[in-house]
Amino acid sequence: MKKWNDYMLKTKMFVTFSVVSLFIVILTCLIFYYKNVSDIKNQTVSLSDTITRQFSRTVELYIQDIEKLSVSIFGDPVLQRSLLDHYQSKNDVEQNEIELTINKRLFTHLQPRPQLQSIYLFALDNVVYYVSKANGPKVSFSLLDEFWYNNNESVMRNKFFLLPVTEEDTGGGRQEKVISFVRNINRIPYREIIAYMKININVKVIDNMLVHSDSNEVERNMRVFIVTEEGNIVYDNKNELTGRTNIDLDTSIFAGESRSGDMIWNGKQYLYTYEKSDYTKWNTMILIPNDFLLSKQKKSQYILILVGLLAMLLIAVVSYILSHHITLQLRYMMKKMNRVEQGDLNQRMEFKGNNEISRLSRIYNNMLDSISRLISEVYESKLAEKNAQLSALQAQINPHFLYNTLNIMKSISRIRGIEEVAEMSESLAELFQYSMNNLQHPVPLREELNHIGNYMNIQQHRFSDRFELSCDIPEALRKASVLKLTIQPLIENAINHGLGKMKTGGCITLSARRNGDNLVIEVTDNGKGMDEEKLLELQRSLHSPFRINELRDDMHGIGLQNIGQRIRLFYGEKSDLTIVSSPGRGTTVKLEFPYQTYEQEEKEAAVHEHIFSGR
């Protein structure tokens, strides 16, 4: 096992930086995790407490509104007079009129409030007047049948009281759970009790008071109860325990000072908050399962683990880059010295500054200067000799020399009356002049057509009437901008490879058209065509990476791959070269690239030159 001092400086720096940084990251993540867990619990308790107080207050306000309704019924002069008449009535006709009057007044108070189920007036002689939203038949009952009336002393002492949830028949065999609001009715202005009133409220109205929000995870997972001091469930938001008693809910917590804490119910751990209403004497309780808090903690834990891993990865990368950068100059110097040791005396080290490495590099460079100077002198002398030979060779094949020679041949041929040779010399001279320079710059399509005309003039003298060229190019498109020598090589390929073996009847068609924003040029021949295998091979070669030695081959002629690469380099991905061919039906080569007039091209080139030249 290696000792610590035996490791490379880069390795020791990387390990040291990584260990220290990772320790800080892990410690930070642990502190943040425990702080986040505590914050989640506190936030959940705070939100639950807010919902509890708001819900309790909403229920309290609603019961206050019912009390106001009871007061309006209590003080209704028609009802007061009708109740007094009830005790003085002597026959059934008068009693029916009183019942009709009382029920009509009760109905005006019941009907506008959809949350009310029924209203009862219990006379002291066991006669009951009531109106209900149920469609069932009228049921006979009396004050003595009401369980709450047995504690008459309590009824007398309280202004009103609320009964636990019971079920009321709404007709058709349906039962609705209701909360009963009970109070006595005194004779005005006297204080003697003349009747008792009971208002039944549908429990569903409480469910409408609870604000439901699917976007809040706490509200989706909480359990809401309204519990009396005796442990009766007035309301359960899951509608499972409403109206039930003895559900093993620890009501002793309502006597404590703390309004939140932890409790166990049905074998599960819950976080609870409650609010007691001094008005209704009901306790509003919200239970939040610990499983929900654990899931929130797990989410936080997963996020911290992910952040910790990313931080560790980032620290490792930064530590590596830092150690790499610090030792880069040393490794660079070692690399240079190794090359010098292998015989490469041209290696130099350029470190600016006045530190130890910079001084060492200058001493190293001075040691190699004299040897490098000798080698440089020998190399420059040989290079000058080689350039002189190359210049002499270029002078011999200078295109201007060939162009001038062809013009001389043309003049001599016409002086001696050999017009055919003069015409071929002139066409060949124009071919040389056209292709002499600026192949990378576009020209008007008409110039490329003139170049094709010179080429076809020479070929007509060579092949006589074996084939003909047909041009279908509108005059408006002849000003389009095209690259030099992109169409003529297609004509040449059509002659050499498509019509080469035809004795007569050969036809080449050159056409141009607009396709949206693109210019399409097609060269079609009626030659022998290609079979599928050769066509696929040609298409593969056109889409293969460009290589100089593939600009010409025996099968495909000159320039197909060159043309495809040139238009792609100049016009980008919007350009394409495609080939369609079949045996005995000829071949069609199609060029497609963005349409632009030559004048537009010249203006854009001038603007581009002006911007980049700074003029």
Side-chain angles (χ1 to χ4, degrees), residues 533-551:
E533 181 179 357
K534 289 184 178 180
L535 181 61
L536 290 176
E537 181 181 355
L538 179 55
Q539 289 173 343
R540 282 195 298 268
S541 68
L542 291 177
H543 292 87
S544 63
F546 181 73
R547 293 187 293 271
I548 297 299
N549 58 357
E550 290 184 356
L551 294 181

Side-chain angles (χ1 to χ4, degrees), residues 71 93 149 184 247 264 300 308 346 351 415 496 518 538 542 555:
V71 171
V93 175
Y149 184 70
N184 51 37
I247 61 170
I264 297 177
S300 176
N346 292 323
F351 293 127
I415 291 172
N496 294 336
N518 288 349
L538 179 55
L542 291 177
M555 182 176 65

Side-chain angles (χ1 to χ4, degrees), residues 376-393:
S376 179
E377 291 175 357
V378 174
Y379 174 79
E380 290 176 357
S381 63
K382 290 185 177 181
L383 182 62
E385 182 181 356
K386 184 177 181 180
N387 288 337
Q389 294 175 353
L390 182 60
S391 298
L393 181 60

Side-chain angles (χ1 to χ4, degrees), residues 18 51 59 68 91 105 126 128 246 249 266 295 322 326 337 342 344 442 472 481 530 536 593 614:
S18 298
I51 296 174
V59 174
K68 293 177 182 177
N91 54 59
R105 299 299 293 178
N126 290 331
V128 180
N246 300 324
L249 192 64
N266 287 344
S295 66
L322 183 60
I326 292 175
M337 289 182 176
Q342 295 173 4
D344 187 3
D472 181 17
S481 174
M530 288 180 285
L536 290 176
F593 47 84

Side-chain angles (χ1 to χ4, degrees), residues 279-495:
Y279 182 79
T280 64
K281 307 303 180 183
W282 287 347
N283 297 284
T284 302
M285 173 185 283
I286 290 182
L287 301 181
I288 299 175
N290 270 17
D291 293 340
F292 167 72
L293 295 178
L294 290 175
S295 66
K296 296 281 287 184
Q297 293 173 10
K298 286 182 179 179
K299 289 181 181 178
S300 176
Q301 181 179 353
Y302 293 149
I303 292 174
L304 284 176
I305 291 175
L306 179 60
V307 171
L309 291 176
L310 292 176
M312 291 179 183
L313 179 61
L314 180 61
I315 289 171
V317 172
V318 171
S319 299
Y320 177 82
I321 294 175
L322 183 60
S323 61
H324 175 80
H325 179 73
I326 292 175
T327 59
L328 181 62
Q329 293 180 342
L330 292 175
R331 288 183 286 105
Y332 178 77
M333 182 176 291
M334 291 174 59
K335 184 177 179 180
K336 291 287 187 179
M337 289 182 176
N338 287 334
R339 291 183 179 178
V340 172
E341 185 180 13
Q342 295 173 4
D344 187 3
L345 301 179
N346 292 323
Q347 300 297 321
R348 292 292 185 275
M349 292 184 291
E350 297 180 359
F351 293 127
K352 296 181 180 179
N354 199 31
N355 54 34
E356 292 81 1
I357 295 179
S358 298
R359 293 178 183 179
L360 185 60
S361 65
R362 285 194 291 269
I363 295 173
Y364 166 82
N365 291 337
N366 291 332
M367 291 173 58
L368 299 177
D369 280 345
S370 58
I371 299 175
S372 298
R373 191 180 304 110
L374 293 174
I375 295 175
S376 179
E377 291 175 357
V378 174
Y379 174 79
E380 290 176 357
S381 63
K382 290 185 177 181
L383 182 62
E385 182 181 356
K386 184 177 181 180
N387 288 337
Q389 294 175 353
L390 182 60
S391 298
L393 181 60
Q394 289 177 343
Q396 294 176 2
I397 60 172
N398 192 304
H400 290 282
F401 174 74
L402 295 176
Y403 173 67
N404 294 331
T405 303
L406 287 171
N407 281 328
I408 294 172
M409 292 172 60
K410 178 187 69 174
S411 301
I412 295 174
S413 299
R414 283 187 172 158
I415 291 172
R416 297 186 179 180
I418 310 176
E419 187 61 30
E420 186 175 2
V421 175
E423 186 177 344
M424 291 178 64
S425 299
E426 184 177 6
S427 297
L428 186 58
E430 292 182 1
L431 284 177
F432 271 110
Q433 185 181 20
Y434 182 78
S435 59
M436 240 184 259
N437 49 26
N438 293 333
L439 289 179
Q440 71 276 18
H441 294 296
V443 296
L445 179 57
R446 64 171 60 89
E447 292 189 13
E448 184 74 4
L449 295 177
N450 292 336
H451 177 66
I452 293 172
N454 292 323
Y455 172 77
M456 290 302 298
N457 188 23
I458 296 174
Q459 294 297 337
Q460 289 292 346
H461 286 290
R462 176 185 174 190
F463 293 103
S464 187
D465 297 329
R466 289 171 57 182
F467 58 85
E468 62 178 8
L469 174 65
S470 173
C471 290
D472 181 17
I473 299 177
E475 185 64 30
L477 296 182
R478 293 176 181 257
K479 61 182 179 181
S481 174
V482 298
L483 285 177
K484 274 188 175 184
L485 298 179
T486 53
I487 305 176
Q488 181 270 329
L490 302 181
I491 303 294
E492 182 179 354
N493 282 345
I495 295 174

Side-chain angles (χ1 to χ4, degrees), residues 490-554:
L490 302 181
I491 303 294
E492 182 179 354
N493 282 345
I495 295 174
N496 294 336
H497 302 286
L499 309 177
K501 296 183 179 181
M502 294 183 65
K503 300 301 182 182
T504 184
C507 180
I508 301 174
T509 302
L510 173 60
S511 63
R513 56 184 172 84
R514 289 283 299 275
N515 181 19
D517 294 333
N518 288 349
L519 175 66
V520 179
I521 298 175
E522 292 184 351
V523 176
T524 303
D525 66 72
N526 62 346
K528 63 180 181 178
M530 288 180 285
D531 57 27
E532 185 176 358
E533 181 179 357
K534 289 184 178 180
L535 181 61
L536 290 176
E537 181 181 355
L538 179 55
Q539 289 173 343
R540 282 195 298 268
S541 68
L542 291 177
H543 292 87
S544 63
F546 181 73
R547 293 187 293 271
I548 297 299
N549 58 357
E550 290 184 356
L551 294 181
R552 176 191 291 273
D553 58 62
D554 293 336

